[in-house]
Amino acid sequence: MVSIPELHSNFFIISLSLNHYQSVPQGFRQSKGLSLLLVNSRINRNKHTRIFMEMQGNGSPTTSNQSTINIPHVLTVAGSDSGAGAGIQADLKACAARGVYCSTVITAVTAQNTVGVQGVNVVPEDFVAEQMKSVLSDMHVDVVKTGMLPSIGIVKILHQHLREYPVRALVVDPVMVSTSGDVLAGPSVLAGFREDLLPMADIITPNLKEASALLDGVKIKTVSDMRSAAKLLHDMGVRNVLVKGGDLPDSLDAVDIFFDGEHLYELRSSRIKTRNTHGTGCTLASCIAAELAKGASMLEAVKVAKCFVETALDYSKEIFIGNGPQGPFDHLMKLKSNAHNSGRQVRFNPSDLFLYAVTDSGMNRRWGHSISDAVKAAVQGGATIVQLREKDIDTRDFVEAAKSCLQICRAHGVPLLINDRIDVALACDADGVHIGQSDMPAHTARALLGPEKIIGVSCKTPEQAEQAWIAGADYIGCGGVYPTNTKANNLTVGLDGLKTVCLASKLPVVAIGGIKVSNARPVMEIGVPNLKGVAVVSAIFDSECVLTETRKLHAVLTEATAAVK
Ligand SMILES: Cc1ncc(COP(=O)(O)OP(=O)(O)O)c(N)n1
Ligand SMILES: Cc1nc(C(=O)O)sc1CCOP(=O)(O)O
Ligand SMILES: [Mg+2]
């Protein structure tokens, strides 16, 4: 039975299969005044379009096409790793990192961690078949990647489904033994690989042990042995072979051999010293599959996948997850920076806006201060948030200065924002950005920076404040409260303009423009709860002693706030 979503008067869209569409009684459709149905159908899955079925007077549909976006899609057929370093979990993360959709058929559930494999529960064959049918009969899959195939029956099921639902490429990672040495597929599976999968596969990615097992125990100890093994595996019917030399003894480099049936390539990279290598095989194969799904050639896909794995290993070499000898790595390369951020538990607290210090390179030059010395003094004097507003600095110097300032600010638990430059904020992993009405739109900045970063937007009107809120900003800066020489041609909105914007704003507000020790009090006294503080440039940075001036302003703001309460 189809459930019908929200009905609008005489027009609405529901998404359902053609069968379901036909099962909605015509009388019902007409009685609800239904005029358009959106039908997701497999009929045209190769064109990646959806068919709009329009109701005619008699209730029968007519069709018209509308293009939709084709998302590259990898289906992984593999085992689950409870520790999430390898298997299905690694495949999902690798595809996500490479921007490809990944569906899953789980062949076995393993109890596994960084110590080893404690248990394996093989999924019944008919249920593996059911999962495969569910995915392949409904979704457009570009590439299938296989991992742990624990029984010959499962290999056969895969083979049958690939014949019934052909895909663009098949990537076979012949998982037999886990990195901890536990056997994940017995010898009977070897026959299935040889007879059914290899002749169908576009690439196979064995490590030395797996290549040796597939070749009846032939010894592979040198790069020259790897070359011979690649050729012998190719003779078994697979189109491309990547023999991974990670376990090669006495090798300073990581050497892999790629053979496409014509040329042998020796792909070398320096070996990364880390315990966090669990899941590299699954990740490499998934990444190859992802690149193929995007349309890369096989050699390109292999090179990109190797580079991705190396970068992720290098990035993750110091992370520590689990107590066993082999840890997982970080596919999305985010964990380390999140750990560094752990000094700030709350991403944004509106009270951070209390004394907002905004730097100015001209003022620092005039007083002979480096950016980091000026920021340090401001933070020591009581600044509660810092913005680097460096309008005439080389990008390279900006990134370096921002990194030093970030260390200072993190040590004091003070957020550091970057003015205008989303690229610089990303490069130094700053806490956020401040942008104005002619800078990058706030919703684009939010999409680039993600949900964790702080975004402030300059607003002079209630409409701009509303837009900033819709776009996902965290606070607004409102000014100029007073005339200023720091920003050319700045419109002064005055205390009244500030109050109007504060009353309209759903976000916390910081006041800016010409504010100093002598005139800060009336600003704090406008009596609107979402005005959280003042942002200043010259009041603290256009002075010989930034520390003293910041302290003075802090004292005035504290007094004014106490008086208002
Ligand atoms: C806290 C705060 N408020 C307003 C501004 C001004 O930003 P914008 O309008 O983008 O102008 P520039 O600072 O880029 O000249 C600000 N920087 N900080
Ligand atoms: C950067 C900036 N933005 C403003 C706005 O009105 O949006 S006023 C301003 C300059 C603030 O410098 P000072 O504290 O030296 O007046
Ligand atoms: Mg700006």
Side-chain angles (χ1 to χ4, degrees), residues 358 363 387 389 419 458 460 477-487 490-491 512-515 535-539:
V358 183
M363 291 176 198
Q387 178 191 134
R389 182 175 178 269
N419 178 278
S458 306
K460 291 184 189 293
C478 180
V481 176
Y482 302 116
T484 177
N485 292 325
T486 306
K487 185 169 162 69
N490 192 46
L491 181 81
I512 188 166
I515 302 171
V536 294
V537 185
S538 52

Side-chain angles (χ1 to χ4, degrees), residues 356 358 387 389 391 419-420 434-439 457-460 475-479 487 490 510-512 535:
Y356 190 144
V358 183
Q387 178 191 134
R389 182 175 178 269
K391 296 280 188 183
N419 178 278
D420 294 350
H434 185 93
I435 45 185
Q437 294 297 322
S438 49
D439 298 320
V457 178
S458 306
C459 299
K460 291 184 189 293
Y475 75 88
I476 63 168
C478 180
K487 185 169 162 69
N490 192 46
V510 63
I512 188 166

Side-chain angles (χ1 to χ4, degrees), residues 9 165 251 296 300 413 489:
S9 57
Y165 301 99
S251 170
E300 263 170 15
N489 306 318

Side-chain angles (χ1 to χ4, degrees), residues 173-174 176-179 205-213 220 242-247:
D173 181 21
M176 284 167 207
V177 182
S178 77
T179 29
T205 61
N207 59 26
L208 298 186
K209 277 188 207 141
E210 290 156 351
S212 168
I220 309 174
L242 181 71
V243 180
K244 298 173 296 189
D247 301 331

